């Protein structure tokens, strides 16, 4: 008996090993266990979906950012006072742009509300008209706050000017840190 005869021999009942294996395993499609996806794309992280809100919260998010640490880091990168002045102008422009976005959002929103108020009042929907009127009053209140922030920013006052003060303080602290590290810590 040769070495390969062990694999080819018949069982006592007349079946070979290969016949038993072939008949015992049903044909299972590949898609049952394997999900075919392109390897280049990784699944996106689950992020909560927040709807775009162009309201006053957009402006307050801009005003609430930490500009002191940004000024500090900018000073470490480029400790030139003209760099400070340019970045302050850029911050003021960003504030003005944010104010314009918010104002445009509320102006469009109020136009839509006015249409719905007139349309629903013609249909006799009193409760809906009252709800829309309240929404309109809230939008008008928000737009008046935005206009107040805009007026104060033009006069270098109020919360809009706070970002300039914060950035300038951070920039000056960065300059002081550079001087402290380079000059003041040297032993003579």
């Amino acid at each position: 008996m040769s070495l390969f005869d062990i694999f080819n021999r018949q069982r006592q009942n007349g079946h070979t090993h290969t016949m038993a294996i072939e008949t015992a395993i049903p044909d299972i499609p590949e898609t049952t266990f394997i999900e075919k996806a392109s390897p280049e794309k990784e699944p996106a992280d689950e992020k909560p979906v927040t709807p775009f809100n162009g309201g006053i919260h957009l402006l307050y998010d801009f005003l609430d950012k930490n500009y002191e640490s940004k000024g500090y880091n900018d000073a470490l990168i480029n400790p030139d006072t003209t760099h400070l002045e340019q970045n302050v102008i850029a911050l003021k422009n960003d504030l003005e742009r944010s104010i314009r976005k918010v104002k445009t959002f509320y102006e469009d929103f109020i136009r839509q509300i006015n249409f719905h108020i007139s349309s629903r009042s013609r249909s006799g929907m009193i409760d809906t008209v009252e709800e829309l009127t309240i929404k309109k009053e809230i939008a008008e209140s928000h737009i008046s706050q935005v206009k107040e922030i805009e007026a104060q920013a033009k006069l270098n006052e109020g919360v809009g000017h706070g970002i300039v003060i914060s950035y300038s303080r951070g920039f000056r602290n960065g300059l002081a840190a550079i001087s402290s590290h380079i000059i003041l810590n040297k032993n003579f």
Side-chain angles (χ1 to χ4, degrees):
M1 183 157 127
S2 74
L3 177 65
F4 296 109
D5 288 340
I6 294 172
F7 299 115
N8 293 330
R9 70 180 166 155
Q10 298 267 335
R11 296 184 108 194
Q12 290 180 354
N13 60 2
H15 293 96
T16 62
H17 288 292
T18 57
M19 291 177 70
I21 293 174
E22 289 177 1
T23 58
I25 299 175
D27 189 25
I28 300 172
E30 183 179 346
T31 58
T32 303
F33 297 106
I34 300 173
E35 181 177 314
K36 292 187 177 183
S38 60
E40 301 89 32
K41 296 181 182 178
E42 293 185 17
D45 292 336
E46 293 284 330
K47 292 182 182 177
V49 177
T50 55
F52 173 73
N53 185 4
I56 199 165
H57 303 290
L58 177 75
L59 181 59
Y60 282 125
D61 286 344
F62 177 78
L63 293 171
D64 288 341
K65 289 181 185 171
N66 185 358
Y67 293 100
E68 190 168 347
S69 65
K70 181 176 175 12
Y72 183 87
N73 292 332
D74 286 349
L76 295 179
I77 293 170
N78 187 357
D80 188 2
T81 56
T82 58
H83 186 66
L84 168 67
E85 294 164 3
Q86 290 171 349
N87 285 339
V88 166
I89 291 170
L91 274 176
K92 287 181 179 181
N93 288 338
D94 289 345
L95 176 61
E96 184 180 341
R97 189 177 321 109
S98 294
I99 289 172
R100 286 183 183 181
K101 284 180 188 177
V102 172
K103 283 173 57 176
T104 302
F105 171 81
Y106 281 116
E107 290 167 354
D108 294 345
F109 185 67
I110 289 172
R111 279 190 208 101
Q112 289 176 343
I113 287 179
N114 286 335
F115 167 76
H116 284 270
I117 288 174
S118 65
S119 170
R120 298 329 179 246
S121 63
R122 285 191 306 262
S123 299
M125 303 172 88
I126 297 170
D127 290 339
T128 304
V129 170
E130 288 177 4
E131 288 179 29
L132 290 169
T133 305
I134 290 171
K135 286 283 191 185
K136 181 181 176 183
E137 290 171 0
I138 292 170
E140 289 171 341
S141 169
H142 286 185
I143 202 166
S144 68
Q145 290 177 30
V146 171
K147 288 179 180 178
E148 181 181 340
I149 291 171
E150 179 182 32
Q152 289 175 345
K154 287 181 180 177
L155 299 172
N156 292 328
E157 298 175 350
V159 294
H161 188 61
I163 63 173
V164 173
I165 293 170
S166 176
Y167 182 84
S168 299
R169 182 183 323 124
F171 196 90
R172 289 188 180 98
N173 287 342
L175 293 177
I178 292 171
S179 295
S180 174
H181 180 72
I182 294 174
I183 304 295
L184 298 177
N185 286 340
K186 282 196 173 186
N187 292 329
F188 293 104

